[in-house]
């Protein structure tokens, strides 16, 4: 039966996370924005302790706490781990999208290990997150000459048969939390590299490089438009040697593009999560506008004909419509993920929509709030800067439109580039 | 729990509606548009699906429970076939559902069964008035009390099937509030004007209507002389139109996809051009987003949620823009061929624009 009732546990999750967002994020938002590269340790320590207390190693759905006891009643409940993650990410990003990206525990790197790793690898790489110290991970795909076109990466991995080690060479850029994973904690990064440049997509594999590995160096920290609390770094790999066992998936190059496709599949889960983050920022901006209008005694009249509405009313109503539509696409995408239904189409739809909506809403909000919107006395101008990243990373708006278009048209990449 | 799966019963209804929309409505729609006539057999066949009857409780001769959500699902499916036919089949809803939602027990018992027990007959409603900024909450048509009677005076347009109406629900302003009044089709002072000519839905017979001292007993006011709230009725108009807009958009979107995958330009299919493929991707995304918002509003109304009325308005308002965007692009994707009446996209584009003006023309 069609239902839009938010599951009770998620309502609780939202209440709890909202407290964190209000008390640990909003108060330091401005401070961290103005002091780029300062690390929000208080938030990090808190989240680390909190996730550990929940018996979970990370926010990743697959690692979420499992019920130990077999309770037949509970078992019948539909799975909601992805939906829970959505609520957490949306609410944390409503608090501060940059600080949210500093959440310790498994994120994108762990997602890749979970998706493609052996049980042994999962244990080796993922158990660290429940230790005493907060640990970070990262995912390094993008290179200076290869962003959207991930098949154009040139980082290489060559097997040294004598030592049974992979030797990696290349440069990765724009690695989110790369510094936290490699320098500020004993974490790891998942690096995408080619076993055979001639082989194109089918030669691409992912490798785990742990913090402290010689030949793997953070060389630059970017200065950005927004999400300044989150570090974005360049990493140079120079004869970086890692054990043979650090490859995720098959070590031989076959004709198939399974490894590459595996990477693309993890996007089906991660894209709606990025959408959720965008939605949080957009909601913050919309609520700010609504509060300021209420303070000024301006009522929004719903249900009257457009011809009678003020411009302001139309804009605010339009923002509400767009935000709710994007939210529902995202909920559905993650509900499908929870129910193990293939969701590539709606996952990309949610990212397209949320990325665009968040960008437009924050931009409109700054416009509608006039001098208040433009002022750094409020966080609105920051949300305008933060929101834009959601239309860029995890596939730009255009790349996600491509994915949606290929899906609805039944086209392969070669038919629609 | 969230869920996006219709119940088995809803699915059965949806399947039946789909067969009717694809097998009966669609093949007849161009001819109906050009001749400005909906074949009575087509309407009767749609009526026999029992969509309205299934949303009326047994106490009033129906065989189900009122559900905005089920109604919305059906409305989308019908409008996917053709909008004029959908409005035609669902015209009696305009009379029956406000009585169900806002009428007195006595009114429900006496007015609903005769409509739903018989073959399709023209039971209709008169709401819209000839002003550019028409507002259902601020009507020019006036109701005045005169002893035990009510006098109705004013001018209405876009009244479906007014010329053959058995009875109508006329909306008029009573002391500053919009109220519904049950008026027999042969009431004195009621004069039906010329058939109206509109941008789209040519097949749907719409008439203007004059009310000059139309006298009805005070008991014919919805819920009797105590009157009624308009909110549920307004929300139902909104959800019905939002659902139909999704249906029309879905039709145009699918047609454009098929065409773009078939037509060649510069040595490739039209759909292989990003400018076109991206339009299609956005169309698909916004259709699904609007559908979800419509379902959510319908579900909220069924569950009696706070803010359900507001959500119904948001769903409708978003749908008005979405359907215009999608149908316009469908014409664009067909190029010059889209402009020719051999293809249905120009009709969907004209029908799509109507949603901005159709408040009160559909209910679920
Ligand atoms: C703050 C930040 C954090 C990031 N974090 C990470 C991370 O953790 N890990 C990681 O691997 N990467 C990360 N990235 C990289 C990000 O994913 C890429 O920047 C993004 O995929 C786009 O690549 P590009 O910058 O090279 O742009 P390009 O690929 O050069 O694109 C330029 C423009 O062309 C458009 N375009 C490209 N291809 C097509 C096409 N086929 N059709 C139509 N238009 C097209 C794009 O949409 C864009 O508008 C991050 C980036 C930023 C800014």
């Amino acid at each position: 039966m069609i239902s839009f009732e938010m599951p009770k546990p998620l309502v609780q999750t939202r209440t709890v996370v909202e407290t964190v967002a209000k008390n640990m994020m909003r108060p330091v938002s401005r401070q961290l924005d103005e002091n780029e590269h300062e690390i929000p340790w208080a938030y990090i320590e808190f989240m680390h302790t909190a996730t550990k207390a929940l018996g979970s190693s990370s926010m990743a759905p697959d690692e979420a706490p499992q019920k130990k006891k077999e309770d037949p009643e509970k078992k019948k409940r539909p799975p909601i781990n992805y939906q829970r993650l959505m609520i957490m990410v949306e609410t944390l990003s409503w608090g501060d999208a940059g600080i949210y990206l500093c959440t310790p525990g498994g994120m994108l790197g762990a997602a890749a290990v979970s998706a493609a790793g052996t049980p042994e690898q999962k244990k080796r790489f993922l158990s660290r997150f429940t230790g005493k110290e907060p640990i970070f991970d990262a995912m390094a795909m993008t290179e200076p000459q290869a962003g959207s076109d991930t098949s154009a990466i040139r980082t290489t991995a060559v097997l040294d048969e004598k030592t049974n080690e992979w030797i990696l060479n290349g440069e990765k850029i724009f690695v989110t939390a790369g510094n936290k994973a490699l320098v500020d904690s004993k974490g790891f990064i998942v690096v995408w590299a080619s076993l055979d440049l001639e082989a194109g997509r089918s030669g691409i594999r992912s490798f785990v490089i742990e913090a402290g590995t010689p030949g793997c160096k953070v060389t630059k920290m970017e200065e950005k438009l927004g999400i300044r609390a989150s570090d974005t770094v360049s990493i140079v790999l120079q004869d970086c040697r890692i054990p043979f066992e650090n490859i995720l998936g098959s070590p031989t190059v076959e004709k198939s593009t399974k490894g590459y496709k595996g990477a693309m599949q993890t996007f089906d889960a991660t894209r709606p999560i990025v959408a959720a983050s965008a939605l949080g920022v957009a909601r913050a901006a919309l609520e700010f506008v609504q509060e300021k209008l209420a303070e000024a005694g301006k009522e929004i009249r719903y249900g009257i004909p457009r011809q009678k509405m003020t411009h302001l009313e139309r804009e605010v109503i339009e923002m509400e419509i767009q935000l709710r539509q994007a939210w529902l696409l995202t909920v559905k995408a993650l509900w499908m993920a929870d129910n193990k239904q293939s969701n590539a189409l709606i996952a990309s739809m949610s990212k397209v929509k949320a990325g665009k909506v968040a960008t437009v809403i924050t931009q409109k909000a700054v416009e509608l709030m006039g001098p208040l919107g433009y002022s750094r006395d409020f966080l609105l101008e920051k949300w305008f800067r933060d929101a834009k990243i959601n239309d860029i990373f995890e596939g730009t708006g255009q790349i996600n439109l491509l994915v949606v278009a290929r899906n609805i048209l039944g086209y392969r990449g070669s038919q629609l580039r | 729990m969230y869920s996006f799966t219709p119940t088995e019963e809803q699915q059965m209804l949806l399947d039946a509606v789909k067969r009717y929309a694809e097998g009966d409505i669609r093949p007849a729609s161009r001819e109906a548009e050009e001749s400005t006539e909906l074949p009575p057999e087509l309407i009767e066949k749609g009526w026999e699906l029992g969509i309205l009857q299934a949303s009326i409780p047994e106490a009033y001769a129906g065989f189900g429970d009122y559900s905005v959500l089920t109604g919305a699902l059906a409305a989308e499916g019908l409008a996917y076939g053709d909008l004029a036919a959908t409005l035609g089949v669902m015209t009696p809803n305009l009379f029956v559902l406000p009585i169900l939602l806002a009428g007195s027990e006595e009114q429900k018992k006496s007015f609903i069964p005769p409509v739903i027990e018989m073959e399709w007959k023209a039971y209709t409603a008169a709401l819209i008035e000839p002003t550019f900024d028409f507002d259902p909450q601020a009507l020019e048509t006036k109701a005045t009390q005169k002893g035990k009677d009510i006098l109705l005076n004013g001018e209405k347009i876009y009244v479906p099937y007014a010329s053959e109406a058995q009875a109508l629900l006329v909306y008029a302003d009573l002391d500053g509030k919009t109220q519904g009044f049950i008026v027999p089709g042969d009431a004195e002072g009621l004069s039906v004007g010329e058939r109206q000519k509109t941008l789209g839905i040519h097949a749907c017979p719409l008439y203007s209507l004059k009310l000059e001292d139309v006298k009805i007993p005070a008991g014919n006011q919805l819920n009797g002389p105590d009157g009624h709230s308009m909110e549920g009725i307004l929300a139902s108009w909104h959800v019905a139109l939002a659902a139909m807009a999704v249906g029309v958009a879905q039709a145009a979107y699918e047609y454009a996809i098929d065409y773009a995958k078939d037509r060649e330009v510069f040595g490739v299919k039209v759909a292989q051009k990003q400018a076109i493929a991206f339009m299609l991707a956005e169309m698909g995304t916004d259709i699904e987003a609007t559908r979800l918002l419509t379902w959510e509003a319908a579900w909220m109304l069924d569950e009696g949620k706070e803010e359900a009325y507001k959500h119904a308005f948001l769903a409708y308002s978003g749908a008005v823009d979405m359907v215009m965007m999608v149908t316009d692009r469908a014409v664009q994707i067909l190029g010059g061929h889209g402009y020719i009446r051999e293809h249905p996209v120009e009709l969907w584009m004209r029908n799509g624009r109507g949603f901005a003006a159709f408040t009160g023309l559909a209910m679920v």
Side-chain angles (χ1 to χ4, degrees):
Chain A
M1 197 179 87
I2 293 168
S3 167
F4 290 84
E5 192 80 61
M6 185 185 278
K8 283 230 178 64
L10 298 194
V11 178
Q12 287 162 4
T13 301
R14 189 169 61 178
T15 312
V16 172
V17 179
E18 216 165 62
T19 323
V20 178
K22 273 192 192 140
N23 298 318
M24 311 210 64
M25 302 175 102
R26 286 284 178 94
V28 293
S29 235
R30 178 58 68 189
Q31 149 88 11
L32 285 155
D33 184 61
E34 310 249 310
N35 297 279
E36 198 158 14
H37 306 160
E38 190 181 309
I39 300 174
W41 283 116
Y43 167 79
I44 291 168
E45 294 290 353
F46 175 83
M47 287 304 276
H48 180 61
T49 316
T51 10
K52 251 192 351 192
L54 286 171
S56 150
S57 71
S58 74
M59 303 216 313
D62 299 337
E63 309 305 320
Q66 302 289 329
K67 281 267 169 315
K68 294 254 162 55
K69 272 187 225 136
E70 290 279 322
D71 183 339
E73 273 303 297
K74 292 225 166 107
K75 251 190 133 176
K76 264 190 260 152
R77 285 214 192 128
I80 53 166
N81 284 343
Y82 276 108
Q83 294 162 64
R84 185 197 312 277
L85 183 58
M86 167 182 174
I87 300 301
M88 290 177 70
V89 171
E90 196 268 355
T91 312
L92 290 174
S93 302
W94 174 87
D96 186 299
I99 301 176
Y100 147 65
L101 287 169
C102 300
T103 308
M107 301 271 271
L108 289 178
V113 174
S114 287
T118 62
E120 201 275 324
Q121 284 173 323
K122 287 185 198 175
K123 197 163 156 231
R124 232 177 97 217
F125 298 124
L126 301 182
S127 59
R128 71 192 63 204
F129 295 117
T130 45
K132 216 168 130 233
E133 308 282 321
I135 304 279
F136 300 86
D137 69 4
M139 214 273 285
M141 174 78 95
T142 307
E143 298 180 4
Q145 81 298 335
S148 302
D149 184 2
T150 48
S151 69
I153 59 170
R154 283 202 216 120
T155 297
T156 54
V158 177
L159 185 64
D160 181 343
E161 286 180 1
K162 276 190 236 123
T163 61
N164 208 25
E165 286 172 324
W166 296 102
I167 308 171
L168 278 78
N169 277 289
E171 184 186 3
K172 293 291 177 182
I173 61 167
F174 297 167
V175 183
T176 296
N179 206 61
K180 283 191 202 64
L182 295 176
V183 180
D184 301 318
S185 79
K186 289 200 158 35
F188 65 83
I189 59 173
V190 170
V191 171
W192 295 83
S194 175
L195 298 178
D196 177 1
L197 287 174
E198 307 279 277
R201 287 199 170 92
S202 51
I204 294 175
R205 290 292 180 282
S206 50
F207 301 85
V208 179
I209 302 182
E210 297 185 87
T213 308
C216 170
K217 225 172 135 189
V218 173
T219 53
K220 184 183 179 194
M221 285 173 91
E222 302 289 352
E223 294 171 345
K224 307 191 295 292
L225 173 65
I227 53 163
R228 291 186 184 158
S230 164
D231 68 88
T232 308
V233 306
S234 299
I235 294 171
V236 167
L237 302 167
Q238 204 167 21
D239 291 331
C240 175
R241 287 172 169 270
I242 53 171
F244 178 81
E245 297 76 31
N246 284 23
I247 187 170
L248 300 172
S250 155
T252 52
V253 181
E254 299 117 19
K255 277 254 150 61
S256 95
T257 51
K258 231 171 98 194
Y260 181 79
K261 288 214 175 104
M264 295 300 123
Q265 260 161 21
T266 53
F267 285 131
D268 296 346
T270 55
R271 280 182 175 148
I273 297 302
V274 175
S277 179
L279 294 171
V281 184
R283 180 162 67 89
L286 178 55
E287 286 178 4
F288 180 88
V289 171
Q290 288 167 329
E291 270 163 35
K292 287 290 165 214
L293 292 179
E295 278 170 26
K298 290 252 186 268
E299 191 205 341
I300 303 294
R301 296 166 300 165
Y302 298 90
I304 63 167
R306 285 188 177 175
Q307 293 89 325
K308 288 188 171 175
M309 277 180 190
T310 63
H311 177 73
L312 199 66
E313 284 173 327
R314 264 199 87 161
E315 293 282 18
V316 172
I317 287 170
E318 180 63 15
M319 285 155 82
E320 278 190 67
I321 293 168
Q322 293 301 321
L323 183 61
R324 194 67 194 168
Q325 288 188 347
W327 159 272
L328 291 170
L329 284 176
T330 311
V331 171
K332 188 174 173 191
L334 291 167
W335 172 82
M336 288 177 79
D338 274 328
N339 287 286
K340 308 256 180 298
Q341 298 179 13
S342 81
N343 71 342
L345 174 60
I346 193 161
S348 280
M349 279 182 169
S350 72
K351 170 69 164 65
V352 164
K353 183 88 182 169
K356 187 167 129 192
V357 160
T359 309
V360 172
I361 286 181
T362 52
Q363 290 173 4
K364 267 288 164 209
V366 170
E367 179 201 328
L368 294 178
M369 290 295 95
L372 303 189
Y374 210 71
S375 163
R376 266 153 62 198
D377 287 345
F378 300 103
L379 288 170
L380 184 56
E381 64 78 28
K382 175 185 179 295
W383 296 330
F384 161 97
R385 290 181 286 114
D386 289 348
K388 183 63 193 167
I389 191 57
N390 297 297
D391 213 6
I392 297 173
F393 64 13
E394 289 291 296
T396 62
Q398 289 69 35
I399 292 302
N400 278 290
L401 277 176
L402 262 186
V403 176
V404 172
R406 282 178 195 148
N407 253 290
I408 61 183
L409 291 164
Y411 281 168
R412 293 184 305 274
S414 59
Q415 290 168 291
L416 185 66
R417 290 167 186 281
Chain B
M1 290 294 153
Y2 291 116
S3 170
F4 301 90
T5 319
T7 61
E8 247 173 71
E9 269 175 41
Q10 285 169 337
Q11 193 55 52
M12 270 162 57
L13 177 68
L14 279 175
D15 293 342
V17 166
K18 195 175 167 65
R19 276 195 300 276
Y20 169 66
E22 286 180 349
D24 298 286
I25 301 187
R26 191 67 75 79
S29 80
R30 172 56 75 181
E31 168 67 20
E33 171 75 7
E34 300 296 333
S35 67
T36 72
E37 258 179 81
L38 286 169
E41 322 82 72
L42 183 69
I43 298 296
E44 187 55 35
K45 192 161 179 187
W47 181 245
E48 278 166 12
L49 291 171
I51 300 169
L52 176 59
Q53 291 84 339
S55 65
I56 306 290
E58 271 172 42
Y60 317 117
F63 53 84
D65 291 314
Y66 179 63
S67 158
V68 183
L69 182 58
T70 306
L73 293 171
E76 180 194 330
L78 289 175
Y80 174 80
D82 178 70
L83 186 60
T86 305
L87 295 176
V89 170
M90 293 176 75
T91 292
N93 291 32
L94 301 177
F95 181 80
V96 169
L97 291 179
I99 296 176
L100 181 72
L101 289 177
S104 66
E105 190 56 32
E106 206 188 315
Q107 289 170 338
K108 291 184 211 184
K109 284 236 157 77
S110 61
F111 289 105
I112 296 179
V115 184
I116 65 170
E117 277 172 343
M118 284 196 294
E119 75 265 35
W120 186 98
K121 283 238 173 75
Y123 287 89
T124 183
L127 172 74
I128 305 176
E129 298 174 350
T131 53
F132 81 90
D133 57 350
F134 168 70
D135 182 350
Q137 309 265 45
L139 297 179
E140 294 293 327
T141 301
K142 300 292 174 207
T144 40
Q145 241 142 357
K146 204 172 174 202
K148 285 194 171 162
D149 293 326
I150 290 211
L151 292 182
L152 298 170
N153 278 290
E155 206 182 320
K156 296 288 182 182
I157 55 169
Y158 295 173
V159 185
Y161 291 97
S163 65
E164 47 184 290
Q166 310 284 317
L168 323 83
L169 199 62
V170 173
Y171 294 91
D173 179 283
L174 180 67
D175 302 331
K177 282 203 318 206
T178 295
Q179 294 287 289
F181 301 90
I182 299 165
V183 177
D186 56 4
E188 218 167 303
L190 197 66
S191 49
V192 177
E194 294 275 290
R195 170 100 180 247
Q196 295 189 296
K197 294 176 176 161
T198 44
L199 172 62
I201 55 165
H202 291 175
C204 186
L206 301 173
Y207 295 87
S208 63
L209 194 68
K210 264 214 177 80
L211 299 113
E212 286 164 309
D213 283 338
V214 173
K215 193 164 89 177
I216 50 161
N220 277 23
Q221 182 175 357
L222 270 195
N223 204 32
D226 290 343
H228 64 98
S229 144
M230 277 301 291
E231 279 189 312
I233 296 171
L234 197 65
S236 166
W237 289 335
H238 286 150
V239 170
L241 289 179
M244 290 180 191
V246 171
V248 170
Q250 181 75 28
Y253 165 67
E254 287 178 15
Y255 198 89
I257 288 178
D258 290 345
Y259 187 88
K261 286 182 75 173
D262 186 52
R263 172 82 172 171
E264 290 203 7
V265 287
F266 299 99
V268 295
K269 301 292 184 193
V270 168
Q272 288 179 273
K273 295 284 181 192
Q274 271 197 3
I276 301 297
F278 282 12
M279 281 204 266
L280 287 167
E282 281 174 357
M283 289 154 75
T285 302
D286 281 1
I287 291 171
E288 179 66 8
T290 308
R291 178 181 289 123
L292 290 173
L293 191 55
T294 305
W295 285 9
E296 184 183 44
W299 172 84
M300 287 173 86
L301 286 165
D302 284 344
E303 298 287 315
K305 296 280 180 195
E306 214 184 310
E307 300 223 308
Y309 300 135
K310 175 182 147 187
H311 260 68
F313 172 71
L314 294 181
Y316 165 67
S317 192
V320 165
D321 293 328
M322 180 281 292
V323 68
M324 190 67 253
M325 179 277 276
V326 169
T327 53
D328 169 73
R329 285 177 170 195
V331 170
Q332 191 65 28
I333 289 169
L334 269 74
H337 297 267
Y339 206 74
I340 307 294
R341 299 222 295 275
E342 263 170 41
H343 291 283
V345 285
E346 62 80 31
L347 168 59
W348 292 329
M349 180 178 162
R350 289 184 284 119
N351 289 350
R353 183 66 289 173
F355 286 94
F358 286 163
T359 302
L361 275 198
M363 274 192 95
V364 289

